[in-house]
Amino acid sequence: MDPVAAGSYGHLRAENLYNVTGRVALVTGGGTGIGLMIAQGLAINGARVYIAGRRKDVLEKAISDLAKGTGELIPLVLDVTDKASITNAVNEIEAREGRLHILVNNAGQTGPVSHFFSEPSSEPSKLGPALFENETFEQWAQLFTVNVSSAFFVTTAFLALLDKGSDDGVSSGYSSVVINISSISGLMKLSQNHFAYNASKAALIHLGKMMATEFALKSVRVRVNDIAPGVYASEMTNREGGRFTPEESTKISGSLRPLPAGRDGSDAEMAATALYLASPAGAYMNGQTLTIDGSFVAVNPAVA
């Protein structure tokens, strides 16, 4: 499975640097949006990709939409908030493949939104009570279960299979990788009208760093990195299969000024970022967050 060098510099050729041929991948929330972009990118470049989600019809549609002969997507019904469902997924992939090389924790939700919070006319005496009444503990807990806890339980459940997957890259220095899909919202100091979502995505980024550190200290051969996307068309942004105008890109991101890139991100840009982390090209990267946002955090209050 290691790239075959063609001459003394063959290892620097793109087809070897980004080679994922024969790798086994699992993408949660892989039937739509960013998850599907990543799944298609990995599959078209040679990986066997299990796309997981709760809705079997959505998974089957995603598979039928991918042109024959351009990659392999395999549906896997999985509820990332249910331990029994996660265990069943582990058993199925272990029986079929015996190992896992790439895990993409992409499943996520937006959670409670307080649209009125960004209104300039918000009165301090009314703002607190309005926020207090508009959201519930149950909404916050449910959102953190989907956006943060699920990544912990899915990763730990598949950890042994991921470590076994690293056996296939011993000679080249490649090791299996977990890619958590966070968001620029996890880096922002603005709430963007959804405190819970931003807090959960920040927690996911830190969870990834902790797992990367702990696995490295315990000699577990699994890397953990994060991708923090900006504006991309998806179910979460109410735009599936289309692109945003420059004005829409700025509005939906909650940017304080026009988005410097003047557009949303493309499926090719998302797929390429994941492919870098999943391939030999990114094998030396661990515990990092790649922000692909069209310069959003460069012009807004952020921690990066």
Side-chain angles (χ1 to χ4, degrees), residues 18-279:
Y18 299 98
N19 182 26
V20 291
T21 301
R23 303 295 186 195
V24 180
L26 169 64
V27 182
T28 69
T32 62
I34 287 174
L36 183 57
M37 295 177 195
I38 293 173
Q40 289 175 334
L42 293 172
I44 288 170
N45 285 283
R48 283 171 50 82
V49 184
Y50 289 82
I51 54 172
R54 293 178 293 108
R55 299 171 294 176
K56 187 176 181 180
D57 59 321
V58 172
L59 301 177
E60 291 176 341
K61 181 181 184 303
I63 291 170
S64 65
D65 287 346
L66 188 67
K68 291 183 178 179
T70 58
E72 185 174 11
L73 296 179
I74 305 164
L76 180 65
V77 176
L78 168 62
D79 181 350
V80 297
T81 66
D82 182 85
K83 292 182 78 172
S85 181
I86 296 171
T87 299
N88 289 338
V90 172
N91 292 338
E92 185 165 349
I93 291 181
E94 183 174 25
R96 289 188 182 187
E97 309 291 348
R99 65 198 65 207
L100 185 66
H101 303 100
I102 304 157
L103 169 62
V104 181
N105 287 313
N106 169 73
Q109 294 180 357
T110 302
V113 178
S114 297
H115 290 291
F116 60 84
F117 187 72
S118 60
E119 294 295 327
S121 59
S122 297
E123 297 181 23
S125 62
K126 297 179 180 179
L127 187 59
L131 287 169
F132 182 83
E133 294 296 334
N134 188 60
E135 303 182 13
T136 68
F137 279 101
E138 289 75 17
Q139 288 175 319
W140 275 67
Q142 194 271 340
L143 183 68
F144 269 74
T145 295
V146 175
N147 287 1
V148 187
S149 305
S150 67
F152 171 82
F153 286 104
V154 172
T155 299
T156 52
F158 278 96
L159 193 59
L161 288 182
L162 286 162
D163 184 67
K164 191 171 183 179
S166 294
D167 289 340
D168 296 321
V170 171
S171 63
S172 64
Y174 175 88
S175 58
S176 296
V177 64
V178 176
I179 304 172
N180 293 324
I181 307 303
S182 182
S183 169
I184 53 171
S185 295
L187 302 171
M188 290 298 299
K189 295 179 183 178
L190 297 172
S191 72
Q192 300 170 295
N193 298 325
H194 36 56
F195 282 89
Y197 178 77
N198 290 27
S200 72
K201 288 301 184 178
L204 180 59
I205 290 173
H206 192 62
L207 174 65
K209 292 183 181 298
M210 288 193 294
M211 288 194 293
T213 296
E214 292 289 1
F215 295 166
L217 288 172
K218 293 173 175 58
S219 299
V220 178
R221 300 169 301 170
V222 178
R223 296 173 293 116
V224 184
N225 292 296
D226 297 277
I227 297 176
V231 181
Y232 285 79
S234 68
E235 280 189 329
M236 192 172 292
T237 54
N238 299 314
R239 180 68 59 84
E240 187 74 34
R243 298 295 298 276
F244 290 103
T245 65
E247 294 75 19
E248 288 174 329
S249 296
T250 295
K251 182 177 180 181
I252 199 168
S253 68
S255 180
L256 294 177
R257 56 184 62 191
L259 193 63
R263 63 177 178 84
D264 58 344
S266 71
D267 57 348
E269 290 162 331
M270 178 57 64
T273 303
L275 188 61
Y276 165 72
L277 292 174
S279 68

